[in-house]
Amino acid sequence: MMIESLNYMPHPKQANAQLASHFTDLAPALNARQAAIESARCLYCYDAPCTRICPTGIDVASFIRNIHDENINGAATGILKQNIFGGSCARVCPTEILCEDACVRNHDAEGQPVKIGLLQRYAIDNMALSNHPFARAASTGKTVAVVGAGPAGLSCAHRLAMLGNDVVVFEAQEKSGGLNEYGIAKYKLTDNFAQKEVNFLLEIGGIEIRHGQKLGANLQLKDLHAQYDAVFLGLGLGASKQLGLTGEDAPGLLAAVDYIAELRQASDLAALPLPSRAIVIGAGNTAIDMAVQIQRLGAEEVTLVYRRGFEAMSATEHEQHIAKDNQVRMRTWAQPQQVLLDDAGRVRGMRFERTTDVGGRLTGTGETFEIAADAIFKAIGQGMDVASISDPLASTLKRDGDKIYVDDQFRTVLPKIYAGGDCVAPGQDLTVQAVQHGKLAAHAIHSDINPEMEAAHG
């Protein structure tokens, strides 16, 4: 996660403390009075549409009623039973296109949904439990390997541990948390929350995490397959997609996720390299996160460029407004054509070709324009890190496009090997979806490796 290609650039003009003030909570937490008022707005619908649309199936009406009744521990436990990452999901989940979009209060005289995300955060942040809310079942004597300590892997590990299995998690990075630790905008997950959540999750017991273990490097799938009762792959998407242009490896051009990771881990924001003019290429939340953060660090001009129109962006309208509110220039209907370099071979800008939609097909118009920039950040998507599935056994995994194929129980085509999260095809690339994959996969794994227990319960 290094950004050496920018090391020749100046640093932010402000001191660390002043810069840190730009990365406080994007949406301030509710206080007790605000939570009481907001929870009273809920109609506590039967068969609530907000619950039906939640990827993890949180009973939204129930936890909000608990908040209204001042049963904060009950509210938090209800959330965590379905989503052990309920705290981070309350902060990063796009509630505006999920539960809050489905809220029936959008259609009454007020025309405003209940603030479900903020209420969920209130419950998790204010719970006062004497012990971990979930106890482990009797030991099964089985041990499962989980590759990847991100939301999918840790959700799987936690549920497996709850069911009585032991779990060993193998993680390539120095810290656990995956995208929550390394890939989410600093102003969305503040105060080291990602690590606090990991520590809370591990209180269940029965989970060991080994860091610095990278599949395809110092860790082989064939060894895990031989040594453990089952293996779950929560690999995420570790490789940034390429633009396919000459000069892509020039100093000043890099993946947005690499800069975001460095920013999130920085103890001194004032020591980060900062381009005065930056281009961000992409249309998703990572592109928005990158553009907003570089602007908040003090860049003078930040331009986000996307090849289609605003309505086609995968970033929600809410995210787009965040960018605009932070003075990010947004240019649509333009695709990268050429990286422009100075005499030293460093980035000095990019030439774009204007695009148009012809019968549903994106087409270049032949008209070009240039944007001057000291750095270009790619945020055009992530793909599988091919090296991680290159050993003889891993290479026999069936693929679905550039992801791993799984059935509806998250089984791969290889016996005892399962996968979930961003590295598999089903679902959306959302933290909450990855959490659900891990949870469901854990139940499938538990059932498959403990058939005698399933038979007894049957």
Side-chain angles (χ1 to χ4, degrees):
M1 297 294 182
M2 301 304 291
I3 52 174
E4 289 97 340
S5 72
L6 300 184
N7 281 351
Y8 60 91
M9 293 186 179
H11 301 297
K13 295 176 182 177
Q14 296 179 337
N16 181 59
Q18 194 170 1
L19 290 170
S21 70
H22 305 322
F23 292 89
T24 55
D25 263 326
L26 184 66
L30 300 177
N31 60 34
R33 182 173 180 276
Q34 290 169 327
I37 293 169
E38 194 61 29
S39 62
R41 295 185 60 236
C42 182
L43 302 179
Y44 314 120
C45 304
Y46 173 76
D47 192 26
C50 51
T51 292
R52 291 202 309 269
I53 202 170
C54 175
T56 55
I58 291 172
D59 189 336
V60 176
S62 175
F63 92 70
I64 293 179
R65 183 181 287 278
N66 272 323
I67 292 174
H68 182 259
D69 294 343
E70 299 184 11
N71 179 9
I72 307 305
N73 287 347
T77 301
I79 293 163
L80 295 167
K81 181 180 179 182
Q82 296 298 332
N83 182 348
I84 196 62
F85 281 89
S88 58
C89 285
R91 290 160 164 82
V92 306
C93 193
T95 53
E96 66 274 7
I97 61 170
L98 292 172
C99 55
E100 291 179 18
D101 184 54
C103 180
V104 297
R105 298 229 57 173
N106 284 305
H107 311 295
D108 63 16
E110 287 187 27
Q112 292 291 326
V114 175
K115 295 174 182 174
I116 298 169
L118 284 171
L119 285 171
Q120 180 170 313
R121 175 178 173 177
Y122 177 82
I124 300 298
D125 288 0
N126 291 281
M127 62 183 178
L129 301 168
S130 54
N131 297 298
H132 192 75
F134 310 109
R136 295 188 69 194
S139 174
T140 64
K142 303 292 174 62
T143 306
V144 178
V146 170
V147 183
L154 290 179
S155 171
C156 183
H158 184 270
R159 187 55 58 109
L160 283 167
M162 267 182 70
L163 295 169
N165 306 285
D166 288 327
V167 184
V168 180
V169 181
F170 298 87
E171 169 55 42
Q173 300 292 341
E174 295 178 5
K175 295 181 181 179
S176 302
L179 280 181
N180 281 359
E181 177 60 41
Y182 291 99
I184 298 292
K186 195 175 181 71
Y187 53 77
K188 291 180 180 175
L189 282 177
T190 61
D191 300 324
N192 203 32
F193 186 83
Q195 289 310 301
K196 293 175 184 176
E197 192 166 49
V198 170
N199 293 336
F200 167 76
L201 179 152
L202 293 176
E203 289 174 5
I204 186 78
I207 302 172
E208 175 192 352
I209 301 182
R210 300 178 187 173
H211 294 99
Q213 302 291 305
K214 183 174 175 59
L215 194 65
N218 58 350
L219 188 68
Q220 302 299 320
L221 185 59
K222 61 181 177 59
D223 297 331
L224 297 178
H225 189 248
Q227 294 168 15
Y228 293 90
D229 294 290
V231 180
F232 175 79
L233 303 175
L235 303 176
L237 297 174
S240 293
K241 292 183 178 178
Q242 299 293 303
L243 294 168
L245 298 176
T246 302
E248 195 158 355
D249 57 353
L253 198 159
L254 70 160
V257 291
D258 290 347
Y259 193 93
I260 291 172
E262 196 87 2
L263 190 158
R264 282 195 59 86
Q265 299 305 310
S267 57
D268 182 5
L269 296 175
L272 289 168
L274 179 69
S276 61
R277 299 166 301 176
I279 295 171
V280 179
I281 301 169
N285 289 346
T286 299
I288 300 287
D289 287 355
M290 181 65 231
V292 171
Q293 290 185 111
I294 203 80
Q295 183 79 44
R296 290 188 176 198
L297 283 172
E300 294 173 10
E301 186 177 286
V302 181
T303 307
L304 187 149
V305 185
Y306 177 47
R307 59 184 178 162
R308 297 185 184 274
F310 287 112
E311 71 287 344
M313 294 180 77
S314 56
T316 64
E317 283 188 35
H318 173 69
E319 291 286 331
Q320 293 177 39
H321 283 304
I322 292 172
K324 292 172 183 175
D325 289 345
N326 282 271
Q327 290 76 53
V328 173
R329 296 169 56 196
M330 302 179 75
R331 300 284 296 268
T332 54
W333 298 107
Q335 61 187 6
Q337 187 188 71
Q338 183 182 353
V339 181
L340 303 177
L341 307 177
D342 64 15
D343 292 340
R346 297 169 174 171
V347 165
R348 67 170 179 85
M350 177 165 272
R351 180 176 296 125
F352 293 89
E353 180 183 17
R354 298 191 191 279
T355 57
T356 187
D357 188 308
V358 179
R361 187 186 182 104
L362 188 71
T363 305
T365 66
E367 183 184 355
T368 64
F369 65 92
E370 296 180 2
I371 299 177
D374 309 296
I376 300 169
F377 299 97
K378 300 178 295 183
I380 56 173
Q382 302 288 108
M384 281 286 295
D385 182 355
V386 178
S388 67
I389 53 171
S390 59
D391 77 43
L393 182 61
S395 62
T396 63
L397 288 167
K398 183 179 177 182
R399 305 285 282 276
D400 188 345
D402 66 345
K403 299 190 177 185
I404 299 171
Y405 168 82
V406 291
D407 67 12
D408 60 2
Q409 295 294 303
F410 298 93
R411 302 182 185 99
T412 71
V413 294
L414 301 178
K416 302 198 304 178
I417 298 179
Y418 304 72
D422 290 349
C423 69
V424 303
Q428 301 169 279
D429 291 344
L430 297 173
T431 299
V432 67
Q433 184 80 73
V435 173
Q436 180 71 349
H437 283 187
K439 181 178 73 178
L440 295 178
H443 284 285
I445 293 167
H446 178 74
S447 175
D448 289 348
I449 66 177
N450 297 288
E452 69 289 345
M453 296 180 68
E454 291 301 305
H457 286 127

